[in-house]
């Protein structure tokens, strides 16, 4: 009986057990998600560009299948297409030889030219001009191409300087450099009036620094003693369409290298008499800005940044005597943040300067007596910071600026906008919504367009009256209905205390779309802790680069594979107090790790689904260095990491970024943060990715880490991308190879999954 029943059951049709998607299928689904979601929003606009006459402005917004450019009259009442996108797309295709989709034109912004008869846009490295009548697109060559400088501090002497004659204000004379000397002659190549006698190839006058006084009585130029021309040599192992490798060289100054030494030299035009300028007040320049004459021609000024980034000054020089004085200066105990130096010469006469300073611990505005260098008054004050300075109105004695942290209880990284008088009175808040705001003012400051959003609030675009912030018109209101229906959920904002138990640390959490609070999920940190900015997204638009940065789409793609993905701004990043930022100074190995680890522990305490026994980390460039350092210095917390194009040893990286945060001369602080020096401490699983032709971070930096790891007998993965640039592996590209490797690595390392044999597929 039992045997008969068994035979009968075998005779029944067999039903295969239900099977879900394979790991490879899940990875492909994550890769495809960006393209599926990117075109599902409507009416999300970018900040606009105003015409020079202030009568119109234009912007790009999302539409069905891509983007459209919109032109708007200054009162907001007349909206129309900025140009015929189909015609422009065909003209660009004729120029490039490649098809161009009119809904996905290869630029995000443009300027009108020729009375709105043409548009000019930047496409990759080219400036492109397209006429709008009988549309034709052409590449615009630079009118006067300047000599390149390696990271702004060492001139590339292989390239001739731009040496066209600079005419005097009245047009009768012209100045240029001949045989390394400054020459003044009659305009049009006429009779030579005089020339300097002390120029030589080793100490030459630079024609690109020539500046005439407004009254034509004086002329100034910089004499230059060249720095060290360090060349980074790279081998193009597989040049496209060729068989044999090629060699390329790049001028690439590194920390500690000698930079060009510039000294301003002042001459009386009438007879060529040299007016001596003592360099006592600017003895060790990292750089000098171009010389700027005061409107009355009585003095000339330039900005000085001391080598090591410890001091910044504006130096003013008397045109008759050459006597120099400090018009304003900054001399902190740690560093001057070069990217945020701001000075405005009120009226262009050298009497007052509006100056941004962190001297009270927060970035604020000051009014300075430029004849003595003394502070006349502090214009803004409080435990908040000034961010952007949009306009200083000398006649009305008003300043328009954005600020972070002004509103109690609001995310301090959100930008709110204000107007204030020079005396600090009449502080008017223009923006109100609890969101981050980007404003673009009309040339006459009578109107502004406000684009505001949060990570959970799509962009709204409004036109306002700049006098009082009154709303004139709502231009666009972002619609994410279809995106939400497709499963998009904004990242969760989360705040926890940092290492000191007092300071708020801000971050975001991205969970899988099928998140189950009853399960346990490994955590992956998307890291970029460069001290030059903050990086946790604050605005809505989620579609950007694969590595995340201020975007969330790449984090969602990774989260959907079964991870909780986070991004956090720890101490040492910018846009908070001076003390918050100073944590990075000479401590690049710190980079906010104690704060971010405390933040993740607080998240896990709140959410049992967060599994801190399986934590990964990934990032590129400075984020690549952060990733490696996580596994070197915090292996008890981080178990796996993918480091893209890391500046693993700051002695190997570009001069400006590294001397900004580690100072000069090169000292022990460089070694303390070095992944090469500390490679033997590696624990956990590591994958290194580098582009062979990285022109931002010397790719040898990665190979030196590889060498040190091998010598320390460490196991790791290495992916070198031939012809790859700095972003290699962090963008999907036509073949998302590195992305598949990225996903597979974390699935193996943190979930024990992964594809057994990719080559068998």
């Amino acid at each position: 009986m039992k045997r008969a029943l068994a035979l009968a059951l075998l005779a029944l049709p067999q039903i295969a057990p239900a099977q879900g998607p394979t790991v490879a299928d899940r990875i492909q689904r994550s890769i495809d998600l960006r393209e599926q979601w990117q075109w599902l929003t409507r009416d999300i606009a970018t900040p606009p560009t105003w015409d020079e006459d202030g009568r119109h402005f234009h912007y790009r917004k999302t539409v069905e299948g891509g983007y459209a450019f919109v032109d708007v009259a200054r009162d907001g009442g007349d909206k129309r297409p900025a140009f015929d996108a189909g015609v422009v797309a065909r003209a660009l295709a004729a120029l490039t030889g490649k098809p161009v989709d009119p809904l996905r034109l290869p630029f995000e912004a443009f300027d009108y030219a020729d009375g709105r008869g043409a548009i000019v846009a930047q496409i990759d490295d080219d400036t492109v001009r397209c006429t709008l009548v009988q549309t034709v697109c052409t590449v615009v060559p630079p009118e006067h191409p300047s000599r390149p400088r390696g990271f702004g501090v060492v001139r590339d002497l292989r390239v001739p300087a731009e040496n066209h004659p600079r005419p005097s204000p009245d047009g009768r004379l012209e100045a240029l450099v001949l045989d390394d000397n400054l020459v003044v002659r009659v305009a049009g190549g006429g009779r030579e009036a005089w020339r300097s006698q002390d120029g030589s190839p080793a100490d030459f006058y630079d024609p690109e620094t020539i500046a005439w006084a407004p009254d034509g009585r004086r002329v100034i130029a910089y004499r230059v003693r060249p720095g060290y021309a360090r060349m980074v040599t790279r081998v193009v192992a597989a040049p496209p369409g060729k068989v044999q490798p090629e060699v390329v060289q790049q001028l690439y100054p590194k920390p500690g290298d000698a930079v060009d030494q510039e000294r301003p030299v002042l001459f009386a035009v009438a007879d060529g008499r040299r007016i001596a300028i003592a360099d006592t007040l600017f003895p060790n320049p990292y750089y000098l800005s171009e010389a700027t004459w005061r409107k009355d021609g009585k003095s000339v000024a330039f900005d000085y940044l001391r080598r090591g980034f410890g001091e910044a000054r504006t130096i003013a020089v008397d045109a008759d005597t050459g006597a120099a004085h400090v018009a304003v200066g900054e001399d902190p105990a740690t560093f001057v943040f070069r990217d945020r130096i701001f000075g405005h010469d009120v009226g262009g006469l050298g009497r007052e300067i509006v100056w941004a300073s962190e001297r009270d611990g927060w970035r604020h505005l000051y009014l300075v007596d430029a004849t003595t260098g003394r502070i006349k008054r502090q214009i803004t004050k409080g435990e908040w910071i000034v961010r952007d300075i949009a306009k200083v109105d000398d006649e009305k004695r008003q300043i328009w600026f954005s600020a972070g942290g002004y509103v109690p209880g609001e995310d301090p990284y959100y930008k709110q906008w204000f107007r204030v008088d020079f005396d600090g009175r009449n502080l008017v808040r223009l923006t109100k919504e609890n969101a981050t705001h980007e404003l673009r003012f009309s040339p006459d400051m009578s109107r502004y367009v406000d684009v505001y959003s949060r990570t959970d609030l799509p962009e709204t675009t409004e036109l306002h009256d700049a006098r009082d912030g009154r709303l004139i018109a709502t231009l666009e209101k972002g619609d994410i209905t279809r995106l939400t229906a497709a499963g998009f959920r904004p990242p969760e904002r989360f705040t926890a205390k940092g290492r000191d138990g007092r300071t708020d640390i801000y971050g975001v959490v991205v969970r899988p779309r099928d998140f189950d609070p009853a399960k346990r999920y490994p955590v992956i940190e998307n890291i970029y802790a460069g001290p030059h900015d903050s990086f946790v997204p604050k605005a809505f638009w989620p579609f950007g680069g694969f590595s995340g940065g201020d975007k969330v789409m790449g984090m969602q793609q990774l989260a959907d594979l079964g991870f909780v993905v986070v991004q956090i701004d720890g101490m040492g990043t910018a846009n908070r107090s001076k003390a918050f930022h100073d944590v990075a100074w000479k401590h690049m190995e710190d980079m906010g790790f104690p704060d971010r680890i405390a933040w993740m522990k607080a998240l896990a305490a709140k959410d049992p689904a967060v599994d801190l026994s399986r934590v990964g980390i990934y990032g590129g460039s400075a984020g690549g260095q952060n990733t490696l350092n996580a596994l070197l210095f915090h292996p008890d917390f981080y178990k796996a990491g993918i480091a893209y194009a890391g500046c693993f040893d700051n002695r190997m990286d570009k001069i400006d970024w590294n001397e900004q945060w580690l100072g000069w001369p090169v000292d022990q602080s460089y070694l303390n943060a070095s992944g090469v020096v500390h490679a033997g401490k590696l624990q956990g699983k590591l994958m290194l990715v580098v582009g062979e032709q990285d022109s931002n971070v010397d790719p040898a930096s990665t190979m030196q880490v590889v060498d040190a790891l091998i010598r320390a007998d460490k196991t790791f993965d290495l992916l070198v991308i031939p012809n790859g640039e700095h972003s290699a592996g962090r963008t999907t590209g036509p073949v998302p190879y590195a992305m598949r490797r990225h996903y597979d690595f974390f699935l193996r390392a943190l979930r024990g999954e992964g594809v057994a044999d990719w080559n068998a597929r």
Side-chain angles (χ1 to χ4, degrees):
M1 181 68 180
K2 290 181 179 179
R3 178 177 173 79
L5 179 60
L7 291 172
L9 290 173
L10 288 172
L12 292 174
Q14 298 298 300
I15 300 175
Q19 294 193 6
T22 67
V23 173
D25 291 336
R26 289 162 52 205
I27 288 175
Q28 190 60 49
R29 183 175 62 187
S30 280
I31 290 173
D32 293 341
L33 187 63
R34 181 186 304 275
E35 182 62 26
Q36 293 170 5
W37 279 9
Q38 188 165 350
W39 315 111
L40 297 182
T41 67
R42 300 291 178 273
D43 301 328
I44 289 180
T46 57
T49 300
W50 284 84
D51 285 11
E52 290 185 1
D53 62 9
R55 297 173 62 185
H56 291 81
F57 56 88
H58 58 270
Y59 53 83
R60 188 179 77 159
K61 72 172 187 174
T62 59
V63 295
E64 178 78 30
Y67 305 98
F69 287 91
V70 181
D71 183 61
V72 186
R74 65 174 278 117
D75 62 2
D78 183 16
K79 290 172 58 178
R80 62 183 63 187
F83 51 79
D84 189 324
V87 173
V88 170
R90 289 192 293 272
L92 285 172
L95 173 67
T96 63
K98 300 176 183 178
V100 177
D101 187 336
L103 290 177
R104 303 181 191 181
L105 295 173
F107 54 88
E108 298 181 7
F110 71 90
D111 290 307
Y112 282 110
D114 302 335
R116 298 191 137 221
I119 61 173
V120 178
Q122 194 69 25
I123 301 178
D124 296 327
D125 294 329
D126 294 323
T127 301
V128 176
R129 179 179 180 273
C130 299
T131 57
L132 297 181
V133 178
Q134 297 181 340
T135 306
V136 176
C137 294
T138 56
V139 174
V140 181
E143 183 178 0
H144 296 298
S146 59
R147 170 184 274 160
R149 300 190 191 188
F151 303 114
V153 293
V154 177
R155 290 162 172 80
D156 190 342
L157 300 182
R158 298 171 299 177
V159 180
E162 202 296 294
N163 195 23
H164 73 277
R166 273 72 174 176
S168 61
D170 61 9
R172 294 187 305 106
L173 300 172
E174 61 189 20
L176 73 163
V177 170
L178 298 175
D179 298 327
D180 299 312
N181 278 287
L182 180 67
V183 173
V184 170
R185 67 189 185 190
V186 175
R191 179 182 58 81
E192 187 173 304
W194 54 265
R195 72 166 60 194
S196 64
Q197 299 298 315
D198 51 356
S200 70
D203 206 353
F204 59 86
Y205 286 88
D206 183 351
E208 296 178 3
T209 66
I210 296 171
W212 286 89
D215 57 12
R217 296 176 55 246
R218 303 283 187 264
V219 65
I220 194 170
Y222 287 177
R223 195 173 166 198
V224 180
R225 185 178 299 127
Y228 174 53
R230 180 187 295 278
M231 294 291 173
V232 164
T233 301
R234 299 188 297 271
V235 175
V236 185
K242 298 180 181 179
V243 174
Q244 298 303 323
E246 297 176 346
V247 175
V248 297
Q249 285 193 318
Q250 177 186 359
L251 179 62
Y252 193 105
K254 295 186 178 184
D257 287 350
V259 301
D260 288 355
Q261 291 297 297
E262 300 177 320
R263 286 157 294 159
V265 184
L266 185 63
F267 292 92
V269 173
D271 56 8
R273 177 175 54 88
R274 177 170 173 162
I275 303 169
I277 304 174
D279 63 1
T280 309
L281 299 177
F282 49 99
N284 185 21
Y286 178 76
Y287 92 105
L288 300 181
S289 71
E290 64 182 31
T292 303
W293 283 93
R294 308 302 194 190
K295 287 183 178 180
D296 58 10
K298 294 181 179 179
S299 62
V300 63
F302 53 87
D303 296 327
Y304 159 68
L305 183 63
R306 192 180 74 206
R307 188 81 186 265
F309 292 79
E311 183 178 57
R313 290 174 168 177
T314 294
I315 306 294
V317 178
D318 184 274
D320 291 328
T321 67
H325 75 273
V326 178
V328 64
E330 201 75 13
D331 186 16
T334 53
F335 63 89
V336 175
F337 188 8
R338 178 182 179 178
D339 290 354
R340 305 293 167 85
I341 295 174
F342 176 84
H344 172 80
D345 180 11
V346 178
L349 296 172
R351 297 169 185 165
E352 292 179 313
I353 291 176
V354 173
W355 181 251
S357 171
E358 294 181 291
R359 65 190 62 202
D360 76 346
W362 304 83
R363 187 174 189 247
H364 282 295
L365 298 173
Y366 294 78
L367 188 64
V368 180
D369 183 337
T371 62
T372 65
R374 294 176 180 173
I375 301 295
K376 295 178 71 171
R377 67 180 60 90
Q378 185 170 352
I379 300 172
T380 61
K381 188 176 181 61
E383 293 188 356
W384 50 275
I385 67 165
V386 171
R387 295 281 299 268
D388 311 293
I389 297 97
K391 172 76 172 180
V392 179
D393 190 320
D394 296 343
E395 293 184 3
K396 295 181 179 179
R397 296 181 71 80
Q398 294 176 329
I399 307 164
W400 310 72
F401 66 95
S402 69
Y406 178 85
V407 182
E410 188 174 278
D411 187 320
Y413 296 94
Y414 289 172
K415 291 182 184 179
Q416 299 287 354
W417 289 77
F418 302 83
R419 185 182 66 242
V420 68
D421 293 346
F422 278 16
D423 60 8
R425 298 178 181 175
N426 299 319
L427 180 67
V428 176
R429 180 179 169 190
L430 299 172
T431 53
K432 305 297 183 183
E433 294 81 6
N434 181 11
T436 192
H437 297 254
E438 291 293 339
L439 268 58
R440 298 295 183 267
F441 291 89
S442 62
D444 64 1
M445 301 302 291
S446 66
R447 300 280 190 274
Y448 66 81
V449 177
D450 179 8
V451 180
Y452 67 86
S453 71
R454 296 188 306 263
T455 52
D456 61 349
L457 177 70
E459 281 77 359
T460 295
T461 304
E462 297 176 340
L463 178 65
H464 289 256
D465 188 313
R467 292 171 297 181
D468 53 13
R470 177 180 58 86
L471 176 66
I472 296 174
T474 298
L475 303 170
E476 310 289 350
K477 201 168 185 63
D479 182 349
I480 60 170
T481 304
R482 293 178 62 194
L483 182 63
T484 301
F488 173 80
R489 298 294 180 270
E492 171 192 342
R493 299 192 302 274
F494 184 71
T495 306
K497 299 301 180 184
R499 70 186 78 183
D500 58 6
R502 301 186 308 274
T503 304
D504 284 335
I505 303 297
Y506 292 78
V508 293
V509 185
V510 178
R511 304 174 190 273
R513 285 179 287 161
D514 60 357
F515 178 75
D516 182 349
K519 294 182 178 180
R520 297 273 286 167
Y521 293 88
V523 178
I524 299 177
E525 182 182 1
N526 173 15
I527 181 61
Y528 192 95
H532 56 279
D533 211 338
S534 54
F535 305 97
V536 172
K538 300 300 172 184
F540 175 78
W541 183 243
F543 303 105
F546 168 57
S547 62
D550 62 341
K551 313 298 180 183
V552 300
M553 188 63 215
M555 296 167 67
Q556 185 66 66
Q557 290 172 286
L558 184 55
D560 279 354
L561 293 170
F563 303 100
V564 170
V565 186
V566 301
Q567 188 171 17
I568 314 150
D569 282 323
M571 293 185 187
T573 50
N575 300 322
R576 298 285 291 276
S577 68
K578 176 65 171 167
F580 190 100
H581 201 189
D582 276 349
V583 170
W585 176 241
K586 287 190 172 295
H587 289 286
M588 293 290 281
E589 74 281 2
D590 180 292
M591 298 313 297
F593 278 112
D595 310 298
R596 301 197 316 277
I597 290 171
W599 184 97
M600 283 183 268
K601 287 180 177 179
L603 177 66
K606 174 188 175 185
D607 185 353
V610 173
D611 183 358
L612 293 189
S613 70
R614 297 177 290 168
V615 179
I617 185 169
Y618 72 97
S621 196
Q625 180 182 27
N626 304 148
T627 296
L628 178 60
N629 285 355
L631 300 179
L632 299 181
F633 302 129
H634 303 278
D636 55 329
F637 188 80
Y638 295 96
K639 307 305 180 186
I642 305 179
Y644 292 88
C647 43
F648 300 116
D649 188 313
N650 300 98
R651 297 170 296 178
M652 284 288 292
D653 193 23
K654 66 195 78 65
I655 187 173
D656 53 354
W657 195 86
N658 295 277
E659 287 195 8
Q660 166 73 88
W661 310 117
L662 292 169
W664 175 90
V666 173
D667 60 13
Q668 184 63 36
S669 66
Y670 284 77
L671 278 66
N672 292 342
S674 170
V676 176
V677 172
H678 298 280
K681 298 177 181 178
L682 177 68
Q683 296 183 44
K685 297 179 174 64
L686 170 66
M687 180 177 178
L688 300 168
V689 184
V690 64
E692 176 197 56
Q693 297 305 311
D694 191 336
S695 61
N696 186 313
V697 173
D698 185 350
S701 183
T702 296
M703 301 314 293
Q704 290 187 5
V705 168
V706 168
D707 178 63
L709 290 171
I710 291 172
R711 286 188 285 106
D713 200 25
K714 297 294 182 178
T715 299
F716 59 96
D717 293 340
L718 171 65
L719 174 59
V720 179
I721 300 178
N723 304 305
E725 248 289 356
H726 188 55
S727 62
R730 291 181 280 159
T731 55
T732 58
V735 181
Y737 177 81
M739 183 179 283
R740 286 198 291 266
R741 293 284 301 273
H742 180 108
Y743 293 160
D744 192 64
F745 174 88
F746 279 130
L747 284 168
R748 290 175 184 273
L750 300 177
R751 292 186 61 90
E753 300 176 15
V755 178
D757 185 358
W758 281 102
N759 293 339
R761 296 183 68 246

